[in-house]
Amino acid sequence: MTPDLDAVSSLQVTGAGPARGSLQVPGDKSISHRAVMMAAMAYGPTVITGLSRGQDVTHTLRAVERFGVIVTDVGEGRVRVEGPIRHEPADVLDHGNAGTGIRLMAGVCAGIDGLSVLTGDRFLRRRPMDRIAEPLRSMGATIDGRERGRLAPLVVRGGGLTGITYAPKVASAQVKSAVLLAGLSAQGPTTVEEIHPTRRHTEEMLAGFGARVRVDGHAVTVEPSELTGTDVAVSGDPSQAAFWAVAALLADQGEVVVQDLYTGYGRSDFVGVLERMGADIDFDLATRTLTVRASKLRAVELTAEDIPGIVDEVPVLALAAAVAEGTTVISGAGDLRAKESDRIASTAAMLRAFGVQVTETEDGMVIEGVSRLRPARVDSHGDHRIAMTAAVAGACAAEGTTVIDGWDSVATSYPAFAADLVRLTGAGAEPGA
Ligand code: S3P
């Protein structure tokens, strides 16, 4: 396996066999973004271990450097970050493909007395920003940009904020986090009340950095606070483990063990979904180890209640549904149309390419399980999770050669994915023609 496969625009995978073996996945991407931003806002140094080395988090590191924050690679997978951010950035903040990066950073910038310009790649510039612009404006920030600030590049003039109580219209940890990060420098308390609770990384980490934060049911309140640097150990990303869980399930003799995973709230609900589908799967919270063995799967119904806990796992769960017996119905997932790609359309197109019958609905899809997939040519639409799902399908469930165009998107979150795929499945992988 050559590392060059991380950057190829097209990957050819020749399967299909079982996934077998044990591995660690990259550090959690959501936690990594937050660790870098809070470290940058904090007084005193922070050493982060296990940081995600994907391009998304690298963009966050480069962004905090624009504020004069010092980022040092201190070896053995550790990064030292020393702030604090005191003034506006020297230049434009480029967040690449990272929705979490730009939205959370907009919250940070809203709290700074000065001007910040935030942008990203062509995919990110199409994603809605009004969900964070609206509450940040009501706290007192001025936010402008294309289509009246609905789309990046965003121009944020921050400072002089007042705390608010806000109930996001979409279930979104990014919105919650942007508002809470801005709230650190607002006058008075800032509360976010969620209808569908989302991942809790921001409130958990704010407490670790010494902020005055309290959780009351589905409401989180932050008081104006100064952060203090503290060392952070980032656990493995459950969303990346989900690819290997499904890989193990797809072919007879499959068995995968993933170690050192984050075990906190709202990130491993895919385990429960796969259990409902009949999977032999065990997530041992004490050892933080996920074990999955090949199983015969049955269809499942996923509704709005399920989605916040599996928001990033829908493509790979849809692949599991594609080989399950019966008809899987996914609904209440309309916000997936605003992810790295329109993930309802791109997931449906991917599965159709593998010979699966899928009907798209406005807020989900209906998937008819089949016994075998046929090899496919798939377009990732610039979406790392579509690319990785297709690679798993090609390596474990579709005999023959599958080609994934737009493979380079995988480097945003999981640079060594192709190497892990080859090691676990024995599939052939080479640049696609
Ligand atoms: C994330 C929240 C989710 C998720 C994204 C990471 C986060 O997005 O899809 O990959 O780190 O807060 P939304 O807030 O848009 O649901």
Side-chain angles (χ1 to χ4, degrees):
M1 167 60 42
T2 64
D4 299 335
L5 286 180
D6 299 341
V8 296
S9 58
S10 174
L11 184 77
Q12 185 170 308
V13 175
T14 307
R20 292 184 61 79
S22 71
L23 79 164
Q24 288 183 339
V25 289
D28 189 276
K29 185 154 71 77
S30 290
I31 298 174
S32 294
H33 283 298
R34 289 160 171 84
V36 172
M37 288 186 208
M38 289 187 207
M41 296 172 88
Y43 287 82
T46 291
V47 174
I48 309 169
T49 312
L51 194 71
S52 163
R53 294 310 181 111
Q55 289 166 354
D56 279 11
V57 174
T58 302
H59 277 104
T60 295
L61 286 168
R62 297 293 86 84
V64 300
E65 286 179 326
R66 298 282 197 206
F67 293 92
V69 170
I70 296 168
V71 174
T72 321
D73 201 322
V74 287
E76 296 169 14
R78 293 175 309 146
V79 175
R80 186 178 189 276
V81 178
E82 183 154 18
I85 290 175
R86 288 178 205 274
H87 49 68
E88 64 190 12
D91 203 346
V92 173
L93 308 177
D94 178 3
H95 287 280
N97 192 248
T100 305
I102 195 170
R103 293 195 179 117
L104 270 60
M105 190 60 92
V108 174
C109 293
I112 297 166
D113 188 8
L115 187 85
S116 308
V117 181
L118 301 88
T119 192
D121 69 11
R122 66 194 168 94
F123 300 103
L124 188 62
R125 294 196 308 271
R126 287 204 299 252
R127 297 179 64 185
M129 295 297 149
D130 39 356
R131 56 186 59 195
I132 48 118
E134 187 205 297
L136 295 176
R137 280 186 191 120
S138 68
M139 296 176 82
T142 303
I143 300 192
D144 204 350
R146 290 190 302 129
E147 295 184 30
R148 297 175 52 86
R150 216 185 80 75
L151 300 170
L154 289 179
V155 181
V156 180
R157 188 167 280 287
L161 304 184
T162 308
I164 55 169
T165 294
Y166 188 68
K169 292 184 195 72
V170 281
S172 167
Q174 294 175 355
V175 173
K176 169 172 68 176
S177 304
V179 173
L180 292 175
L181 289 171
L184 287 173
S185 58
Q187 271 217 329
T190 296
T191 299
V192 179
E193 290 173 352
E194 293 192 291
I195 300 159
H196 293 293
T198 60
R199 59 192 73 191
R200 294 178 181 155
H201 304 309
T202 299
E203 45 272 49
E204 286 172 358
M205 201 180 287
L206 278 172
F209 276 88
R212 291 184 295 155
V213 58
R214 59 178 190 277
V215 177
D216 184 9
H218 294 172
V220 188
T221 300
V222 68
E223 304 279 346
S225 311
E226 266 180 10
L227 303 186
T228 308
T230 180
D231 291 350
V232 177
V234 182
S235 308
D237 194 326
S239 299
Q240 308 291 25
F243 294 105
W244 305 119
V246 173
L249 291 167
L250 293 181
D252 285 349
Q253 313 292 326
E255 177 165 354
V256 172
V257 176
V258 193
Q259 290 143 346
D260 293 330
L261 290 174
Y262 173 76
T263 56
Y265 175 84
R267 294 300 306 283
S268 38
D269 292 12
F270 70 91
V271 173
V273 171
L274 290 172
E275 252 167 9
R276 277 154 66 188
M277 297 178 77
D280 179 354
I281 185 166
D282 174 59
F283 189 19
D284 185 329
L285 298 182
T287 61
R288 307 192 298 137
T289 302
L290 179 72
T291 307
V292 193
R293 294 184 193 86
S295 313
K296 199 162 165 28
L297 300 177
R298 54 178 177 268
V300 68
E301 188 178 343
L302 299 173
T303 64
E305 293 291 304
D306 296 300
I307 301 303
I310 53 166
V311 65
D312 293 330
E313 287 75 68
V314 171
V316 80
L317 290 173
L319 169 61
V323 297
E325 197 178 326
T327 304
T328 288
V329 180
I330 303 174
S331 62
D335 205 46
L336 294 188
R337 293 197 183 276
K339 292 290 176 192
E340 284 86 329
S341 64
D342 172 342
R343 255 189 206 156
I344 292 179
S346 53
T347 300
M350 171 192 59
L351 292 181
R352 281 192 206 110
F354 283 106
V356 183
Q357 204 187 311
V358 186
T359 312
E360 234 185 89
T361 61
E362 205 180 313
D363 68 346
M365 65 193 98
V366 180
I367 303 163
E368 306 291 343
V370 290
S371 54
R372 215 58 209 148
L373 302 184
R374 61 168 191 239
R377 182 153 205 148
V378 172
D379 184 349
S380 77
H381 295 278
D383 188 333
H384 56 137
R385 298 198 198 278
I386 299 297
M388 290 187 279
T389 301
V392 165
C396 302
E399 242 163 83
T401 296
T402 286
V403 179
I404 303 139
D405 296 317
W407 179 256
D408 41 352
S409 57
V410 171
T412 59
S413 72
Y414 198 154
F417 188 86
D420 282 347
L421 185 76
V422 169
R423 189 167 63 75
L424 290 180
T425 67
E430 55 186 277

